[in-house]
Amino acid sequence: PDVSRFRRFISNEINVTHDIVYGKATGYWTETPYIDEPYIRILGRGLVNMFRGESELDLLFDLYRPAENFHTPAPFIMLIHGGGFYIGNRKSSTVSILAKEFARRGYVVASMDYRMGFRLRAADIERSAYRTVQDVHAALRYMAHHADDFGIDPKHMYVAGTSAGAIASLKVAYLDDHERPESTFDSRWRDDMGDVASSGNSYADEFRIKGIGNMWGAVNDTAIICAETGIPVISFHGTNDDVVPIGYARPFANTFGVNRLLFEHMYGARLIHEQLNNLGVPNKLIEFEDEGHE
C-alpha cells in the first residue's frame, strides 16, 4: 500500500469523540491533573488517596478521526500519557497534540486513561505498571472488536507513549505472559492479577502491533525484545534524562537515594536501540543532546 499518503495532511478538520468506555477494572484512580512539583512531593500528596482503597473504575479514551474519510480501513494509533504511573490524563498536551497531528494525516487515534497509583513499595510500583499494560491491551482489544465501527485495520495498530506511557507501549508489544514480574502474583499459589489479556473487558479479538513510539521510555530487561516478535521502534530520549535513564540506571536519579528502595535498574533507549540492532529489527534512535526528561 502507498504509505506516503500518511506523511502529509489530508484534512485540517478532525472529529473528536470523548469519554469512550473501553472497559472496567479495579484500581485507585485513572486521571489526575498534571502537577508541576517534584515527584516525591506528588507521591506524598497521593498517599491521602491511597487510604480510600481501590474501587471499580471506568476506563476511558478519546478518539480522534479526520473529518473526511480518505482511507478505510485506516491505521490506528494508541497514545499513552506519562506521569510515573501516578499522575496525568488522556488530555495531556503532548498526546493531545500528537493525536490531532496524526488524525489530520488520516490515522484514527485514541488517547487513553489507565489505572494509576501505588503504595510506596517496589513490588506495588511494578504491579501498577503491569495494570497499565493490561489496560492498554484491553483498549486495543476493544478497538479490534469495533474495527468496522471506527473504520480501522486491526492488523495495522501502533502504540506510542511518553515516559510511563512509553514503558507501557514497549511492554504491551514485547512482554509475554511467562515474562511477568513475580510481584504480579499474590503468591506462588495465587495469580491475583491474571495474564495481560485477562483484565478490563472480555473481548478476545486479534490485532497486530506494527510499530512502537518510545518517547523517553525504558524496559526492565532488554531480553523481552526478541527477533520473533520483531516490532520496529522509533525512540526519542534526552541525553541528560535523570528520571528515565537513556542508558542503564535506576529511574529518578535525583531523589537522594530513595530510588534505590523503590526501583530496579532499567534499560533506556540506547540499550533498546542496541538490542534491536543486534536482532536486525528496524528501528531508529533520536537523541536530544543535553536535554532532560520530557
Side-chain angles (χ1 to χ4, degrees):
D2 178 17
V3 297
S4 64
R5 74 183 73 181
F6 298 107
R7 296 175 183 162
R8 59 182 182 268
F9 285 129
I10 62 172
S11 175
N12 287 322
E13 297 297 324
I14 61 172
N15 294 327
V16 184
T17 306
H18 296 283
D19 304 332
I20 296 174
V21 180
Y22 68 85
K24 293 178 180 290
T26 301
Y28 293 112
W29 58 79
T30 59
E31 59 177 316
T32 68
Y34 270 93
I35 304 172
D36 188 18
E37 293 182 357
Y39 191 69
I40 292 300
R41 190 176 300 171
I42 293 170
L43 288 176
R45 183 175 294 193
L47 289 176
V48 176
N49 293 327
M50 305 301 296
F51 288 112
R52 299 173 184 169
E54 296 183 331
S55 59
E56 187 175 71
L57 305 168
D58 284 339
L59 305 174
L60 308 176
F61 63 67
D62 294 339
L63 195 70
Y64 298 73
R65 288 177 282 185
E68 298 181 54
N69 193 5
F70 286 86
H71 182 80
T72 303
F76 172 73
I77 303 174
M78 179 64 73
L79 295 177
I80 310 153
H81 69 81
F85 305 108
Y86 212 80
I87 61 171
N89 58 64
R90 65 190 183 278
K91 303 183 189 302
S92 72
S93 58
T94 302
V95 294
S96 295
I97 291 170
L98 287 173
K100 293 171 185 175
E101 289 294 308
F102 278 106
R104 292 187 179 113
R105 287 172 166 83
Y107 292 85
V108 174
V109 189
S111 175
M112 62 175 287
D113 282 342
Y114 52 88
R115 289 172 291 170
M116 297 182 291
F118 48 79
R119 293 165 291 179
L120 288 180
R121 301 186 311 176
D124 212 50
I125 295 172
E126 266 191 343
R127 287 167 67 87
S128 181
Y130 184 69
R131 287 191 190 98
T132 302
V133 177
Q134 288 182 314
D135 292 349
V136 175
H137 201 281
L140 293 172
R141 295 196 311 273
Y142 178 94
M143 288 301 300
H145 184 77
H146 295 281
D148 291 340
D149 299 330
F150 296 127
I152 68 161
D153 183 352
K155 294 181 181 178
H156 283 81
M157 288 186 160
Y158 301 82
V159 289
T162 63
S163 195
I167 293 171
S169 296
L170 290 160
K171 285 187 174 182
V172 78
Y174 278 117
L175 184 71
D176 293 328
D177 284 321
H178 71 271
E179 297 169 321
R180 284 171 50 187
E182 289 185 15
S183 61
T184 63
F185 297 85
D186 183 55
S187 68
R188 184 179 298 177
W189 301 277
R190 181 171 177 262
D191 181 4
D192 64 324
M193 297 192 74
D195 290 340
V196 169
S198 66
S199 177
N201 58 51
S202 59
Y203 299 125
D205 302 76
E206 293 185 358
F207 59 85
R208 182 178 179 187
I209 297 175
K210 295 279 286 185
I212 306 162
N214 167 33
M215 291 171 274
W216 38 100
V219 293
N220 297 96
D221 189 349
T222 55
I224 69 171
I225 302 172
C226 57
E228 290 78 11
T229 308
I231 300 173
V233 180
I234 183 167
S235 296
F236 305 85
H237 216 129
T239 61
N240 285 345
D241 193 332
D242 60 1
V243 177
V244 178
I246 191 172
Y248 178 70
R250 297 180 195 271
F252 299 101
N254 293 331
T255 53
F256 307 103
V258 175
N259 64 331
R260 297 183 180 183
L261 303 175
L262 298 176
F263 303 102
E264 299 295 332
H265 283 71
M266 299 195 77
Y267 298 77
R270 281 180 181 163
L271 299 177
I272 293 169
H273 175 61
E274 182 179 300
Q275 173 78 345
L276 290 164
N277 282 345
N278 291 338
L279 296 172
V281 177
N283 77 102
K284 186 171 185 176
L285 169 60
I286 298 171
E287 296 187 8
F288 301 119
E289 194 66 33
D290 299 325
E291 293 292 339
H293 196 60
E294 298 279 355

